[in-house]
């Protein structure tokens, strides 16, 4: 098999199920060696065995993305088994618990931020040096969400974490381009996975100890709405084929739901309109022709 992926090695976090597993299979079908990491080691072994039975080269590693030492271990294991690392897919993510600002549990925010944001930083920090060192180039694929492109009521933690992933990815595009490392950020709307059951893998260190006044009925209604939305989503296998297609055309932003364009268009229009307001301002309007300062 000859294509840009064949014979190369990808490390994928959260690969035991859902989007991570679908990406693992799609990249394996292209001839890649796949290193599957997940916090749920039981599900990981079952999924890995299914892929091995199809003849793919699979290595599994226990990986909690919030633990940097485990990221270092997975890179060491990947190099020992397959020689080089060419791609990291920062896919592991959790949905958190929807709720009002005043009901937000600090432990839940920390869990969402640690997994969804720090987990992506750690993944890049551990894998990028390994991709740089062989000089053949490669890929960083960060899994954000349409939630990173728009705010949603009662979902501040998830949206903020995914907006951070979009922003980190944008920052890394130019940084890694000289190394021939292509950075992409995947922004799906709903995909049929178990994201609405993320609490199943919530680590003990994020157990809720604070006494928040959570309205249990509202929480249940929110959970039911999330379940309905996720179950109406596209299959993860369709998403994986779309990712291959978009990587082949070097897309930075990878969208899986073109119908959501109206959402980002409305947001960008509102942002742009706010500049018109600033230009007309008595206080700051005179800055309109000043040079833009960057570093
Ligand atoms: N399903 C959707 O509708 C949707 C939409 C947009 C973005 N996403 C994103 O896609 C990514 C994958 O989610 P999914 O939908 O496949 O959900 P999922 O719950 O089916 O799969 C997530 C995987 O990540 C693993 N995981 C959870 N915490 C982990 C940790 N600390 N360390 C390592 N692994 C961990 C889980 O065990 C699971 O295997 C997430 O980043 C999610 O935010 C999902």
């Amino acid at each position: 098999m000859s294509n840009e992926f064949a014979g190369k090695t990808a490390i994928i976090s959260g690969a035991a199920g859902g989007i991570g597993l679908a990406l693992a299979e799609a990249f394996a079908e292209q001839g890649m060696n796949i290193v599957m990491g997940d916090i749920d080691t039981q599900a990981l072994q079952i999924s890995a065995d299914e892929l091995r039975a199809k003849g793919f080269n699979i290595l599994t590693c226990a990986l909690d993305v919030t633990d940097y030492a485990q990221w270092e271990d997975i890179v060491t294991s990947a190099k020992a088994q397959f020689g080089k690392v060419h791609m990291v897919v920062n896919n592991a993510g959790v949905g958190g618990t929807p709720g009002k600002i005043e009901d937000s549990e600090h432990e839940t925010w920390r869990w969402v931020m640690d997994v969804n944001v720090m987990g992506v930083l750690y993944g890049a920090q551990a894998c990028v040096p390994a991709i740089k060192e062989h000089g053949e180039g490669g890929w960083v694929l960060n899994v954000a969400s349409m939630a990173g492109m728009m705010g949603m009521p009662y979902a501040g933690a998830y949206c903020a974490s995914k907006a951070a992933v979009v922003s980190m990815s944008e920052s890394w595009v130019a940084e890694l381009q000289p190394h021939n490392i292509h950075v992409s950020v995947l922004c799906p709307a709903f995909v049929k996975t178990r994201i609405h059951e993320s609490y199943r893998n919530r680590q003990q260190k994020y157990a809720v100890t604070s006494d928040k006044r959570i309205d249990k009925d509202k929480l249940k209604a929110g959970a039911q709405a999330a379940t309905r939305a996720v179950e109406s989503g596209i299959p993860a296998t369709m998403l994986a084929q779309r990712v291959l297609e978009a990587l082949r055309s070097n897309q930075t932003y990878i969208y899986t739901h073109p119908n959501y364009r109206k959402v980002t268009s409305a947001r960008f229009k509102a942002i742009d309109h706010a500049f018109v307001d600033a230009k007309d301002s008595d206080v700051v309007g005179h800055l309109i022709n000043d040079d833009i300062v960057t570093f």
Side-chain angles (χ1 to χ4, degrees):
M1 188 184 309
S2 177
N3 64 57
E4 63 270 61
F5 302 114
K8 296 184 174 164
T9 299
I11 297 178
I12 305 177
S13 69
I19 290 172
L21 177 58
L23 289 172
E25 180 154 13
F27 285 125
E29 281 170 351
Q30 299 304 309
M32 290 190 92
N33 307 310
I34 307 295
V35 184
M36 301 170 68
D38 206 287
I39 197 170
D40 186 340
T41 49
Q42 217 178 344
L44 183 65
Q45 289 316 327
I46 293 168
S47 297
D49 284 345
E50 284 170 13
L51 295 189
R52 286 191 187 105
K54 294 181 180 178
F56 301 134
N57 290 335
I58 304 292
L59 176 70
T60 57
C61 293
L63 174 70
D64 176 348
V65 294
T66 68
D67 182 342
Y68 186 66
Q70 293 188 29
W71 271 109
E72 291 181 310
D73 289 347
I74 201 170
V75 172
T76 303
S77 302
K79 288 195 330 193
Q81 179 85 10
F82 298 121
K84 296 172 184 169
V85 176
H86 300 86
M87 177 187 288
V88 57
V89 182
N90 284 308
N91 164 74
V94 293
T97 314
K100 287 195 290 186
I101 296 164
E102 51 271 47
D103 288 343
S104 296
E105 301 147 348
H106 296 178
E107 298 88 343
T108 299
W109 268 75
R110 286 198 191 95
W111 172 47
V112 172
M113 289 296 159
D114 277 1
V115 177
N116 294 6
V117 182
M118 295 310 290
V120 173
L121 169 69
Y122 290 169
Q125 211 163 26
C127 296
V128 164
I131 304 175
K132 278 182 182 172
E133 75 189 9
H134 51 67
E136 296 169 13
W139 300 265
V140 173
L141 172 60
N142 295 328
V143 181
S145 168
M146 272 309 300
M149 293 278 166
M150 59 201 254
M152 289 191 295
Y154 310 113
Y158 188 70
C159 291
S161 73
K162 293 303 183 178
V165 175
V166 172
S167 192
M168 289 152 83
S169 307
E170 289 172 334
S171 304
W172 295 343
V173 167
E175 180 178 333
L176 295 182
Q177 196 270 334
H179 302 275
N180 196 22
I181 300 174
H182 181 80
V183 180
S184 293
V185 59
L186 174 61
C187 298
F190 292 107
V191 185
K192 204 170 173 169
T193 67
R194 294 185 68 195
I195 188 74
H196 54 297
E197 297 169 350
S198 297
Y199 52 79
R200 72 193 188 280
N201 292 315
R202 184 172 173 145
Q203 305 94 310
Q204 190 52 39
K205 63 182 172 179
Y206 303 111
V208 178
T209 53
S210 52
D211 179 24
K212 288 284 169 204
R213 295 157 291 141
I214 290 187
D215 180 333
K216 296 270 187 261
D217 287 340
K218 277 221 173 95
L219 202 61
K220 207 169 151 195
Q224 283 167 347
T227 303
R228 277 196 302 276
V230 171
E231 286 180 351
S232 74
I234 63 169
T237 47
M238 182 190 288
L239 172 144
Q241 291 308 310
R242 168 66 189 139
V243 168
L244 286 179
E245 176 187 62
L247 285 183
R248 288 208 158 103
S249 62
N250 284 329
Q251 297 298 312
T252 298
Y253 304 97
I254 304 182
Y255 289 119
T256 55
H257 292 71
N259 48 326
Y260 277 70
R261 184 178 181 182
K262 46 178 139 351
V263 175
T264 54
S265 297
R267 178 168 181 246
F268 297 145
K269 210 168 148 189
I271 291 170
D272 199 49
H273 187 75
F275 275 110
V276 176
D277 188 63
K279 176 179 71 68
D280 295 341
S281 157
D282 292 337
V283 183
V284 293
H286 63 282
L287 301 175
I288 183 68
N289 292 320
D290 281 11
D291 288 341
I292 292 171
V293 179
T294 56
F295 65 91

